[in-house]
Amino acid sequence: MDCGQVAPAGVKVREFLLAATDGVRLNAVTLGSGPRGVVMLHQTDDGVCGWFEYGGILAHNGFHVLLFDRRCSGKSTCPVGDRGSRHAADVQTAVTELRKQGAKKVVVVGASLGGSVAIGACSAVQVDGCVALSPALFEFPLGEGLTAQKAIGRVGVPLLVADAPDDRSSPLAEVRELLRRARPGVVQFVPLPAAAGHGWDTVNDATDPSLRSPFSAQLIRFLNSRLA
């Protein structure tokens, strides 16, 4: 890995190319092993490296983590035309790969744009839970006409959503409006304090480090509950 980061001692790291259903090659990384799978979807920037540090923390806590560069970003290839937006299908590919590697249950975690992808994918992919950190809610196409806005009412697994009141990239009013369209009992919403950061910063590197641990612990509890 060329992220300039080192996984915790004892955590096995493997970088490889993951073949999407339409032949696109997705740059992927797994951390750890075992039956408790977590697919982590990145923001618009940094690709797998943005989640690498926290993915290592999760792997150190017994989770089997898969990160991948979204198609048309990072080291993944980029097809032309509508094929460039088949992001929900790529989540299915990642989930299937984790199961091939021994995961019995899988939760999808996305940050910012990845949070929007997670919401869309969790309406179409068989998983055991879904997490969206500061979801970016512009109409981002996920393939087959799917967007987070169109998908939210079809999500049937527990969905943990976190957002801060001062997050301009994920306006709280827009997030609350989206979640009002979800099925009853599906969403667990966590209001983050101001200055908690955006997306993966809420667990990776909050503006105020004292704000980081409580939500990280809550996220890990959610993963434990869904992957037991």
Side-chain angles (χ1 to χ4, degrees):
M1 285 295 300
D2 55 4
C3 292
Q5 304 170 39
V6 179
V11 171
K12 181 180 178 181
V13 179
R14 175 183 169 230
E15 185 174 14
F16 59 102
L17 288 176
L18 186 59
T21 55
D22 62 352
V24 169
R25 311 300 286 183
L26 304 171
N27 180 55
V29 177
T30 53
L31 300 100
S33 60
R36 302 192 300 159
V38 183
V39 171
M40 308 190 79
L41 309 177
H42 64 82
Q43 302 183 178
T44 53
D45 54 351
D46 286 349
V48 297
C49 290
W51 268 133
F52 187 84
E53 177 185 7
Y54 196 71
I57 292 171
L58 292 182
H60 186 66
N61 279 273
F63 298 101
H64 187 176
V65 178
L66 188 150
L67 322 174
F68 68 94
D69 287 334
R70 190 170 51 249
R71 62 176 57 205
C72 299
S73 66
K75 296 180 182 178
S76 293
T77 57
C78 185
V80 298
D82 293 342
R83 291 176 60 214
S85 65
R86 294 179 182 174
H87 303 293
D90 291 344
V91 175
Q92 176 67 76
T93 297
V95 169
T96 299
E97 176 64 24
L98 263 187
R99 288 183 173 137
K100 287 180 179 177
Q101 293 187 23
K104 302 301 182 185
K105 295 183 177 181
V106 179
V107 170
V108 174
V109 177
S112 189
L113 179 57
S116 181
V117 176
I119 292 170
C122 287
S123 74
V125 179
Q126 186 176 355
V127 292
D128 299 280
C130 192
V131 179
L133 310 180
S134 318
L137 296 179
F138 58 92
E139 292 276 349
F140 185 70
L142 306 176
E144 304 297 330
L146 189 67
T147 64
Q149 289 81 352
K150 294 176 182 178
I152 186 64
R154 301 200 296 265
V155 176
V157 295
L159 169 62
L160 178 69
V161 179
D163 201 30
D166 59 344
D167 189 341
R168 295 183 179 180
S169 298
S170 181
L172 184 57
E174 292 182 14
V175 172
R176 289 188 180 277
E177 176 60 30
L178 178 80
L179 299 183
R180 277 194 281 270
R181 305 204 299 270
R183 294 179 181 179
V186 164
V187 176
Q188 177 185 344
F189 178 71
V190 179
L192 300 176
H198 173 72
W200 53 38
D201 291 341
T202 61
V203 290
N204 268 343
D205 186 21
T207 305
D208 178 351
S210 68
L211 301 175
R212 178 170 45 191
S213 297
F215 178 65
S216 178
Q218 189 166 359
L219 173 56
I220 291 175
R221 284 196 299 271
F222 178 83
L223 294 176
N224 280 325
S225 71
R226 300 310 308 159
L227 299 173

